[in-house]
Structures are given as C-alpha cells and as structure tokens.
Amino acid sequence: MKEALIIATLMLDKPGPAISPLIFGVSSANNELRQDARIALERWGGNRASRFNWKNGCDAAGSDWFFANGGKEVPTPDQAWYHEALKRNAALGIETLMTVPTIGWVARDNHSSSFSVSKYGPQKKTDKQHPDWGNGERPDGTPFIRNDPTDAGVPAPPAFIGEFVADLKARYGPADGAVRRAYALDNEPGLWNSTHRDVHPAPVTYDEAWQRTVDYATAIKDADPTAQVWGPVEWGWLGIKYSAADKTAKGYEPAPDSKAHGADFFLHWYIRQLAAYKKKTGRLLVDVIDVHDYPEVYIQDEGRIVAWDKPDGGSPLMQRVRLEAVRS
C-alpha cells in the first residue's frame, strides 16, 4: 500500500495528457449558453438531420412525426440557415459539428410526407392538422406499408455530400481554418429501419455500415482534406455492441451479423476496419469515434421512477447522472 501511495504521488507531480476542448460541447445551444458557458463545440444533428437537404434547407421528421418533411425551404443554398449558424459560432470561437446524411436520401421539400392516405389508404394514425399524413401502419396492425421513397425524398449519394463540403470550403476556407467545422456521418444508423423506414426499411448490417463510411467519408475528405470526420454515431449501448441486423425475434442474444463477422462488439470491429483501411491506403477515414451514450432510461429519484427524456427528468439527481454518463 505504501508503494502504491508513493507511485500515485509521483504521478501527480507530472502533467497528464491534455483534455480535448471538444469534450465541452453541447447540442442546439441558445445564445446565452453559447456566450456564457465557454463551449468549444456545438453539434447540429438529431433524427431530422439524417434527411437534411443542404440545397433547399429542408429535412424530414421520420417516425417522430408522420414521416413528414419540414424546415424553411429556400430557393438556393445561399439563403440556407446553416450559414448564419457557422458564422455565429466562428465569431464565438465555437467549432460546429455538422451532421451529413449518409442514408442516401434527403427531403425533396418542406411539406411532403411518405405515407399519404390518399395514395396508400387508411392508416392507424394520421396528423390532426394534415389528415393525409399517415404513420405508415395499417389500421388492423398488419405489417407496415411499403412506400415509394421518392414520395418525400430525393437521392443523396456520396457525390451530393462531397458537393456540400466543397461548397462550404469555397465559401469559408478549409474546415480547420477560421470557420471551424467537422462532419458527423449521419445520426444513429442502427435505428434507420424504424426512424427512417420510409427510405431505409432494412436493418443496417456491419457491411453496409462500413461501406457507407468508406463512400461518404471519402467524398468528404476528397472535397476538403482538412476536414475531420466523426463516426459511426451510433445510438447507445446496443448500437455500440451490435448492428441493427443482430436484432431478431429472440432479441439480440443470437447476434447473427456479429457472429458472422467474428466480432465481440460492433465498435471494436469498426475501429479495426478503420485501422486496416489506413494501413492499406494511408488514409484515416474517421478521425473521432462518435457514439451516443445515455444514462439508464429510468432511475429511482426520491421515491419516484424518473425517465431521463421526460419533462420531470431535470431533477438535480438526473442532471448528475447525465454528467456522469460523459465520464463513462
């Protein structure tokens, strides 16, 4: 024990590795927080960003709201809202983490929906203000309706994202310059087959996740070699451990996709793919490993069961749990 204490004392006499300032970031801050909290990074992303169209400023809610498009539609990219966001953050010394779609589709406009009642028939739920917007489920509970992805979307291949990154570079200079920005590879691909099943009904596999990383990260880095790419942007513990294709009627325990790839964790496999690709080509496709980590869905707080994402989840105890989640 004495030797351990001596070693610990000696270690405290030496400076440790620097903490990246990007740890101190937020998602969708307000102006007061941006100026007062000295944040270093602001992310704009979330479910809607999976279908964000940089040319017209529109996005899509997916299953969060009747698979309907939204956003403020603009005639040209010059008038899109993200320009003001980038310039504002740059003036405050904040780097912007921009989510770029890799799902292959973006919103065609700000008013179309994917499951029109007039086209696909009666559905289990519809929007009260827009009765033609259905939720894609048949009234009798039979399997989901299969729709045409062009009902509300337009294709967004890697070249579409490369064009976006090139446009930003032409406007603001390289990504590591005065208007600092990085690019996250979409948002929670492991949930696409539920959140965005109107354009991606099949569960994402190991192989698809990797191929989309290769295709879209290459497009980004070809357009701006200084750009940092973040991935795989998975949705939580199960997304870190498994692919969406590992979920079966028996749960995740069979893990057929994982076993087919000799993997213990999807994230371990993904990082090994990145290392092998860099060894082969000299290019590191993903610079920052980006995963979503949440506290337990429910905690016991003063005799109550509290959900982290509910309005009453803002108690002091829940806030402490959220902060501790970052440390994990």
Side-chain angles (χ1 to χ4, degrees):
M1 179 62 72
K2 185 177 180 180
E3 290 178 353
L5 288 173
I6 292 173
I7 292 172
T9 302
L10 291 174
M11 290 175 65
L12 289 172
D13 289 339
K14 298 179 180 179
I19 297 174
S20 169
L22 300 183
I23 288 292
F24 304 102
V26 296
S27 182
S28 302
N30 58 43
N31 284 329
E32 182 180 6
L33 181 62
R34 290 187 186 103
Q35 296 180 39
D36 294 346
R38 293 182 295 167
I39 61 174
L41 178 80
E42 181 174 359
R43 169 191 181 249
W44 60 265
N47 289 342
R48 302 188 72 101
S50 288
R51 311 269 286 280
F52 175 70
N53 187 334
W54 68 272
K55 291 189 174 182
N56 65 14
C58 300
D59 56 25
S63 62
D64 290 338
W65 196 257
F66 296 100
F67 298 91
N69 292 351
K72 183 179 179 181
E73 190 168 1
V74 294
T76 68
D78 297 337
Q79 302 171 46
W81 63 269
Y82 54 83
H83 295 299
E84 289 305 315
L86 282 167
K87 289 183 282 189
R88 175 203 63 224
N89 281 357
L92 294 171
I94 298 171
E95 181 169 338
T96 305
L97 177 59
M98 310 177 73
T99 299
V100 293
T102 67
I103 196 171
W105 295 87
V106 293
R108 65 180 310 119
D109 52 38
N110 70 345
H111 57 271
S112 295
S113 65
S114 289
F115 295 103
S116 164
V117 173
S118 60
K119 181 173 181 177
Y120 296 107
Q123 295 170 48
K124 193 171 184 178
K125 293 181 180 179
T126 57
D127 179 79
K128 292 181 179 179
Q129 294 183 325
H130 304 87
D132 195 51
W133 294 358
N135 71 339
E137 298 180 31
R138 301 188 188 281
D140 62 359
T142 53
F144 297 138
I145 295 168
R146 296 300 293 269
N147 66 298
D148 181 348
T150 63
D151 289 339
V154 292
F160 180 83
I161 299 304
E163 187 182 355
F164 179 35
V165 175
D167 181 75
L168 292 177
K169 183 183 178 184
R171 293 173 187 268
Y172 303 115
D176 64 351
V179 182
R180 293 184 62 84
R181 55 202 182 275
Y183 301 95
L185 297 175
D186 213 289
N187 180 74
E188 302 180 346
L191 300 179
W192 282 350
N193 59 309
S194 58
T195 308
H196 297 289
R197 59 182 172 80
D198 54 327
V199 296
H200 199 292
V204 173
T205 64
Y206 276 61
D207 293 335
E208 181 185 358
W210 173 244
Q211 190 59 53
R212 288 184 183 273
T213 293
V214 172
D215 294 344
Y216 284 89
T218 296
I220 292 169
K221 288 179 176 281
D222 283 351
D224 185 351
T226 74
Q228 271 198 349
V229 173
W230 294 35
V233 202
E234 273 304 345
W235 61 276
W237 174 251
L238 292 174
I240 292 170
K241 191 171 184 181
Y242 302 112
S243 78
D246 278 320
K247 186 176 182 180
T248 70
K250 298 179 180 179
Y252 285 94
E253 186 61 30
D257 195 28
S258 177
K259 290 180 179 178
H261 290 81
D264 50 353
F265 274 62
F266 165 71
L267 189 60
H268 291 171
W269 179 88
Y270 185 86
I271 292 172
R272 287 195 293 268
Q273 294 295 108
L274 291 171
Y277 190 90
K278 182 182 179 183
K279 184 176 181 180
K280 179 180 178 180
T281 67
R283 170 175 273 183
L284 182 62
L285 291 174
V286 171
D287 303 280
V288 178
I289 294 300
D290 179 358
V291 293
H292 295 173
D293 186 19
Y294 301 93
E296 292 295 327
V297 177
Y298 300 98
I299 64 170
Q300 187 81 17
D301 187 0
E302 297 179 354
R304 300 178 302 129
I305 300 297
V306 180
W308 74 270
D309 60 348
K310 301 302 180 185
D312 63 349
S315 69
L317 175 59
M318 180 57 80
Q319 297 295 349
R320 289 199 300 274
V321 171
R322 285 173 169 153
L323 289 173
E324 289 296 333
V326 176
R327 298 187 180 200
S328 71

